[in-house]
Amino acid sequence: AQSVSQHNHHVILSEAASLELGCNYSYGGTVNLFWYVQYPGQHLQLLLKYFSGDPLVKGIKGFEAEFIKSKFSFNLRKPSVQWSDTAEYFCAVKGGSQGNLIFGKGTKLSVKP
Amino acid sequence: SQTIHQWPATLVQPVGSPLSLECTVEGTSNPNLYWYRQAAGRGLQLLFYSVGIGQISSEVPQNLSASRPQDRQFILSSKKLLLSDSGFYLCAWSVGSLNEKLFFGSGTQLSVL
């Protein structure tokens, strides 16, 4: 069965620090990969997605994620975080064309000004 | 533009009472509709999804049921709530292929006492 693991429950960074949030999945076939974000008081929304092609995906607000097939990983990165990046981040995986979207438990990011 | 409405925002219900949570989508036709539950520390769990009126797929056996009486209306119900039904319930929609870009509602915080 598909599963998604996010390594960190809560990450606390200072502004301008670099960010990397880990995401690993278990699924043997073709996957579509997503990062969703929920800012305080707002709806959960899509940050970026990978379907095929270049494994380095650029998203909104300077975020990027890299799909490493051999490691079953899709880590989220940002070179320099801002206070406004404070949010909860969810990794999600869809296995195959008919698969369901399986979410990780989420990582809360707190950025100190 | 498309919008999704979910209500109520919060709900406190006694054990054994019925439940009805409603979700409606505006600005799109024939959307895929989803109900997710987010329990503390457990991420987002898919409960039901629907690809059309009257078509409901259940992912997890449980005390809840879902119905889609109209194209853009998705209802989550229970005849008798359990304590374990407490959680944060999210409705979402997408178009085209299932489980690709999802748009989420604002959620309902359900407390069963």
Side-chain angles (χ1 to χ4, degrees):
Chain A
Q2 284 172 242
S3 66
V4 180
S5 175
Q6 289 183 245
H7 313 301
N8 307 102
H9 178 62
H10 192 185
V11 173
I12 302 173
L13 296 173
S14 298
E15 276 195 313
S18 65
L19 170 72
E20 182 160 3
L21 301 182
C23 173
N24 285 89
Y25 66 91
S26 65
Y27 185 77
T30 302
V31 290
N32 296 334
L33 299 159
F34 308 79
W35 276 97
Y36 280 81
V37 60
Q38 186 168 25
Y39 297 103
Q42 296 188 27
H43 297 196
L44 193 62
Q45 59 186 286
L46 184 67
L47 188 60
L48 50 78
K49 61 183 179 181
Y50 169 80
F51 282 9
S52 62
D54 188 346
L56 185 62
V57 180
K58 306 282 187 184
I60 59 172
K61 302 187 180 184
F63 285 90
E64 64 179 30
E66 185 175 13
F67 171 47
I68 302 179
K69 189 174 181 180
S70 60
K71 294 185 178 180
F72 297 90
S73 70
F74 191 54
N75 292 355
L76 181 70
R77 301 194 295 246
K78 185 171 183 178
S80 176
V81 295
Q82 301 171 312
W83 176 78
S84 58
D85 293 324
T86 294
E88 189 158 15
Y89 294 82
F90 293 88
C91 181
V93 174
K94 174 185 170 184
S97 61
Q98 302 299 319
N100 287 323
L101 197 59
I102 306 299
F103 283 83
K105 294 183 179 181
T107 298
K108 287 186 180 177
L109 172 65
S110 298
V111 180
K112 297 184 291 185
Chain B
S1 65
Q2 302 93 345
T3 55
I4 178 169
H5 301 282
Q6 192 180 337
W7 68 92
T10 59
L11 189 60
V12 180
Q13 292 284 99
V15 169
S17 64
L19 173 74
S20 181
L21 302 182
E22 190 161 340
C23 172
T24 59
V25 179
E26 295 177 359
T28 187
S29 295
N30 197 31
N32 305 311
L33 296 171
Y34 311 81
W35 278 110
Y36 280 86
R37 176 171 57 203
Q38 184 177 16
R42 296 189 61 185
L44 285 159
Q45 180 185 36
L46 178 64
L47 302 176
F48 301 95
Y49 68 91
S50 171
V51 299
I53 296 174
Q55 299 178 63
I56 309 294
S57 296
S58 174
E59 288 303 301
V60 183
Q62 59 204 314
N63 184 42
L64 302 168
S65 62
S67 61
R68 186 171 177 173
Q70 300 179 42
D71 181 44
R72 288 169 285 180
Q73 185 185 28
F74 204 26
I75 298 171
L76 184 69
S77 304
S78 173
K79 293 181 180 178
K80 287 186 177 181
L81 283 168
L82 305 172
L83 286 173
S84 57
D85 292 324
S86 293
F88 190 62
Y89 290 83
L90 282 165
C91 181
W93 66 273
S94 70
V95 291
S97 298
L98 272 173
N99 296 306
E100 294 192 353
K101 185 173 182 178
L102 268 61
F103 297 89
F104 286 86
S106 53
T108 296
Q109 183 65 53
L110 172 65
S111 299
V112 182
L113 306 177

